[in-house]
Amino acid sequence: MVTAPTVPALPGLDPRSSHVLTVAGERWHYLDNRPQLLERGVEPVGTVLAVHGNPTWSYLWRRLVAVGADAGWRVVAVDQLEMGFSARTGERRTLARRVADLGAFTDALGLDGPVVTLGHDWGGVVSLGWAVDHPEALAGVALLNTAVHQPDDAPVPAPLRLALARPVHRLGTRTTRAFLEATLALAHPALPDDVADAYRLPYRTAADRDGIEGFVADIPVDAAHPSAPELDRIAVGVTKLEVPALLLWGARDPVFSDRYLDDLIGRLPHARVHRFESAGHLVAEDVDWPPAVLGWLEREVAPASADGSRATAGSDDDPTETPFTPFWAGLDARADDTGPAVLDMSAGPDGRGPRVVSWRALDRQVRRIAAGLHRIGVRPGDRVSLLVEPGPTLTALVYACLRIGAVVVVADAGLGARGLTRAQRGAWPRFVVAQTKGLAAAQALGWPGVRISADPLPGPVRRALRVAHELVDVARAGEGLDLPPEPGPDDEAAVLFTSGSTGPAKGVVYTHGRLAALRDALAGHFDIGPDTGLVTGFAPFALLGPALGTRSVTPRMDVSAPRTLTARAVADAVRAADARMVFLSPAAILNVVATADALDPSDGAALARVRTFLSTGAPISAAVLGSAAELMPTATAHTPYGMTECLLVTDITLEGIRDAAAAPDAGVCVGRPVGRGEVLVSALDDDGAATGTPAATPGVLGEVVVRAPHLKERYDRLWLTDVAAEQETPPGHWHRTGDVGHLDAEGRLWIEGRLAHVITTPDGPLAPVGPEQHVERVPRVRRAAVVGVGPAGMQQAVVVVEPVGAPSARRRPGLASDELAAAVRAACPVAVAAVLVVPEMPTDVRHNSKIDRGRLAAWAEGVLAGGRMRTP
């Protein structure tokens, strides 16, 4: 029997949603938006059955209850028995009993399919138990931070161990509100007082909290626990679910860490997954999550429910027109070649000459490491984080992992300790191969993964860093062993993290097919063959030589600091490898040009043999590119445009840049699409949002949208970011880049900045790069950034300049002199509210060249509002 509402008006909760149902003599309280649906005359698409954990109650789901009816979904959120406003029976309920209780409740309610379960904390396990037991009604499963399996090699999370400890258990969970208050304190940011009070409402007395105590006691800490068999049954059953799945995860959860997310992904590999980096255990309070659930229901659950099918998540990628050739095929083809494959100019055996690894030796080492990794337990799909500096060892590791189907995880050291920690925890590798510095960081910062040392270590150091294996032993163990079957084109190959220069670093997933397509695009466009030879002064490209079937050399430099590369080091590398192609980053090029006076005639002769020269990673001026090209007089200079998500989008030569200089277009011309790549532009509206239908219309300022066979598969565990990147794009696999620019009548792409840096003026959106180019023609200006200050739609342009000269000789940050300000205003084609000076522009670490306009905008806003005059 359903009775009238019993819960008073609470923040965000309509009392009309509160209901009571008596089941087998016990009182169940639940929230249900069915009355709102009936008022509107709406037949629900289906029902979301939401189950809270401990020590919350159905109030956790109030936001979805409130908006579910707008999308046509009924939402039923229960208070489990002994919890919330449901009955206190005085019984200790095991997991199996709670799953059975929920089934009895839904039977009494007359709930039939399609049903999507939604659970959090231990309510997630209970909801999954219902899902496993009701396959005929099940249409999907959605989960917030929870777990269905406790690994044998990991302890129960510390907060739960404390709550379970005998001296603390009853005192903390029932006698006092300690466990309840500790849980509420996990919100990021802190809960408003009235919301926290709403959570406390059903748990005012010790008797009210009896269920909290019982729930904690029912945590299966080992196989002997009464609830362990039921947990195991559910964990196995989850692996058989084929319905759409959604995992929304708070990354700052001290209870359910990414270890448990990784386990769930292994059981639900088709799940859509999104990690909220700023959220914690109470992810339902920390972020606006209902739109994610409703969007998923609309995209993936409702269509399947309508036709009775059981859709699973998958790629809508465009078909590949060319047969798949593994990424390592170039290495296989030269397995018996005794010629040089990889050269490292800073690692010679005598400390002076280069370290040279032949094709035959590289192939043998790759196979030994691959077989050895497989022997110690690395399996297809396992993630292996590589914290090894570029060179022959890293090259062998990458190809060994790819060959056995392991997924390589690569994050730039330039992310810093905090950024690397986020990357490691986000990707959650099963294994970590690192040099001593990386192992020390892994130990100090608690990074996940079985540790393999790339360097031989003394026993005490090895034990202190908790190293399970040394690479030399792994390779030795793989000697003579057969390799497992090769992965296929749709298998995951790598997770590459972005630089963080345009926002928080994100993991980008590439499949084997997409990596092979990148190799083919590079080889075809730049005519790379076995005899080309590559000098790779830009770390990401140092690994491509074996795939391309040509030798590669890393010059003497600090690979984490491109500015350390000198002209002499480039000449030495070209000479050692007899290279015809040079890859450099813009920051490296600046120092190469600056150190050109150190070249002698033999260096000049070596550089004169270079036929192709690439500046990759960030925009570069024609003047700087031309200065570098003068050092390689017979080379064709290229500056491709790309990003981690699609490493090669367009390309333009120095000659093309000079031809484009005569055009009236604003921005940096980056040329035409490479190979089978395509570029469209989504026009900006007056608010600076890219709302236009992507098109190739010339002269339209908008967000750049790209497609190519070598475009990323997806972002890693950032499903909502993927949805945004593919929003309102044409059919097929497209990506919104976040860059703004336009196409010209000749099909060339011009980049004018980042979408996040567009200035929304009263006259419409303004992209920064065009005005910056004009300002940088002022003789006293080395670099410039145009940023917006003021409210959106009424922003004013402020120019920040870095004067010519060494940083130590430049003036302190502040207002520009009257003379400089006048020159900047005269050169700038838009109205300028203020001109500020900084000694040096803040830039990213990886490229040392991408100006952080967001940081400058915040600084300028503060300075102009009367804030402290400090360096941005």
Side-chain angles (χ1 to χ4, degrees), residues 679-702:
V679 174
L680 300 175
V681 170
S682 174
L684 303 184
D685 59 21
D686 290 342
D687 296 324
T691 56
T693 300
T697 308
V700 175
L701 176 64

Side-chain angles (χ1 to χ4, degrees), residues 500-799:
S501 61
T502 57
K506 298 181 288 291
V508 177
V509 176
Y510 276 86
T511 62
H512 283 270
R514 296 192 183 282
L515 281 185
L518 172 63
R519 172 204 61 205
D520 296 342
L522 282 166
H525 184 71
F526 294 110
D527 191 24
I528 302 174
D531 296 325
T532 301
L534 311 177
V535 172
T536 53
F538 184 46
F541 288 96
L543 301 170
L544 289 171
L548 293 164
T550 193
R551 60 194 175 278
S552 60
V553 55
T554 303
R556 288 189 309 276
M557 63 182 294
D558 178 350
V559 292
S560 65
R563 293 174 177 175
T564 60
L565 182 64
T566 65
R568 172 64 65 84
V570 174
D572 288 342
V574 168
R575 186 163 36 234
D578 192 21
R580 299 294 184 267
M581 190 171 191
V582 174
F583 288 82
L584 300 178
S585 72
I589 291 171
L590 287 172
N591 200 55
V592 166
V593 171
T595 57
D597 290 346
L599 296 174
D600 61 26
S602 65
D603 296 328
L607 292 174
R609 294 199 294 270
V610 176
R611 296 291 177 264
T612 306
F613 161 54
L614 277 73
S615 169
T616 56
I620 187 171
S621 70
V624 174
L625 189 64
S627 296
E630 289 176 3
L631 304 179
M632 295 168 268
T634 63
T636 301
H638 295 254
T639 175
Y641 161 70
M643 59 218 69
T644 308
E645 295 86 343
C646 190
L647 290 167
L648 189 61
V649 177
T650 65
D651 179 44
I652 190 170
T653 64
L654 176 58
E655 182 180 356
I657 293 173
R658 288 169 173 164
D659 289 343
D665 300 71
V668 176
C669 183
V670 295
R672 297 177 178 83
V674 170
R676 293 165 50 204
E678 299 175 66
V679 174
L680 300 175
V681 170
S682 174
L684 303 184
D685 59 21
D686 290 342
D687 296 324
T691 56
T693 300
T697 308
V700 175
L701 176 64
E703 182 178 15
V704 178
V705 184
V706 304
R707 176 168 73 166
H710 51 279
L711 174 65
K712 67 169 175 63
E713 182 70 17
R714 66 179 186 280
Y715 286 115
D716 187 43
R717 303 179 184 184
L718 291 171
W719 175 64
L720 295 176
T721 307
D722 272 325
V723 170
E726 298 169 9
Q727 192 75 25
E728 297 180 2
T729 57
H733 191 60
W734 291 83
H735 172 69
R736 288 181 175 269
T737 64
D739 288 336
V740 293
H742 69 276
L743 292 164
D744 64 17
E746 298 180 35
R748 298 176 298 189
L749 176 63
W750 296 71
I751 297 298
E752 300 183 60
R754 293 287 295 171
L755 186 62
H757 302 154
V758 169
I759 303 166
T760 54
T761 74
D763 298 324
L766 171 67
V769 171
E772 288 168 358
Q773 290 173 313
H774 286 272
V775 172
E776 287 174 349
R777 294 178 188 138
V778 174
R780 291 175 55 189
V781 173
R782 180 172 183 263
R783 289 190 290 187
V786 176
V787 299
V789 298
M794 299 296 293
Q795 287 187 318
Q796 304 296 311
V798 171
V799 178

Side-chain angles (χ1 to χ4, degrees), residues 290-348:
V293 172
L294 294 176
W296 169 73
L297 291 172
E298 179 184 2
R299 289 182 185 88
E300 301 192 12
V301 179
S305 299
D307 62 16
S309 65
R310 287 290 181 259
T312 58
S315 173
D316 59 353
D317 188 24
D318 307 315
T320 302
E321 297 178 4
T322 56
F324 170 65
T325 304
F327 189 70
W328 56 86
L331 174 59
D332 283 355
R334 303 189 68 169
D336 295 326
D337 191 335
T338 57
V342 178
L343 300 88
D344 186 349
M345 298 300 293
S346 59

Side-chain angles (χ1 to χ4, degrees), residues 223-525:
H225 192 282
S227 286
E230 178 68 359
L231 184 63
D232 291 342
R233 182 188 75 87
I234 294 171
V236 172
V238 168
T239 64
K240 300 175 183 178
L241 297 179
E242 296 180 350
V243 294
L246 175 67
L247 306 177
L248 300 178
W249 208 262
R252 298 171 65 183
D253 190 343
V255 181
F256 297 113
S257 69
D258 285 283
R259 177 190 308 280
Y260 301 100
L261 173 61
D262 194 62
D263 176 75
L264 284 167
I265 292 173
R267 297 173 192 277
L268 295 166
H270 60 280
R272 301 299 193 184
V273 183
H274 190 89
R275 291 177 75 254
F276 295 96
E277 192 68 46
S278 63
H281 181 70
L282 291 178
V283 61
E285 295 294 339
D286 294 348
V287 298
D288 185 18
W289 61 276
V293 172
L294 294 176
W296 169 73
L297 291 172
E298 179 184 2
R299 289 182 185 88
E300 301 192 12
V301 179
S305 299
D307 62 16
S309 65
R310 287 290 181 259
T312 58
S315 173
D316 59 353
D317 188 24
D318 307 315
T320 302
E321 297 178 4
T322 56
F324 170 65
T325 304
F327 189 70
W328 56 86
L331 174 59
D332 283 355
R334 303 189 68 169
D336 295 326
D337 191 335
T338 57
V342 178
L343 300 88
D344 186 349
M345 298 300 293
S346 59
D350 58 1
R352 291 176 293 178
R355 177 185 175 189
V356 181
V357 179
S358 71
W359 289 100
R360 177 184 291 176
L362 179 60
D363 178 76
R364 176 173 178 266
Q365 186 70 345
V366 166
R367 291 176 179 275
R368 293 173 73 230
I369 293 175
L373 289 172
H374 189 262
R375 183 169 183 176
I376 67 170
V378 180
R379 295 293 179 264
D382 284 349
R383 294 186 168 189
V384 181
S385 178
L386 302 180
L387 303 172
V388 179
E389 291 186 357
T393 299
L394 178 60
T395 300
L397 276 166
V398 167
Y399 285 86
C401 289
L402 294 177
R403 177 59 185 79
I404 61 173
V407 181
V408 173
V409 177
V410 180
D412 198 307
L415 294 176
R418 183 177 179 184
L420 281 172
T421 297
R422 287 176 56 180
Q424 297 300 317
R425 291 181 178 168
W428 203 264
R430 188 178 171 206
F431 295 86
V432 176
V433 186
Q435 292 165 314
T436 307
K437 185 177 179 180
L439 292 169
Q443 175 67 15
L445 300 171
W447 296 346
V450 175
R451 294 171 195 164
I452 302 171
S453 176
D455 303 323
L457 296 174
V461 176
R462 178 172 170 167
R463 289 188 293 272
L465 297 179
R466 297 185 181 179
V467 172
H469 308 277
E470 289 187 350
L471 188 59
V472 63
D473 296 327
V474 171
R476 189 177 296 118
E479 186 74 56
L481 296 182
D482 293 334
L483 295 178
E486 297 181 355
D490 296 329
D491 292 324
E492 289 187 12
V495 179
L496 311 179
F497 276 83
T498 60
S499 67
S501 61
T502 57
K506 298 181 288 291
V508 177
V509 176
Y510 276 86
T511 62
H512 283 270
R514 296 192 183 282
L515 281 185
L518 172 63
R519 172 204 61 205
D520 296 342
L522 282 166
H525 184 71

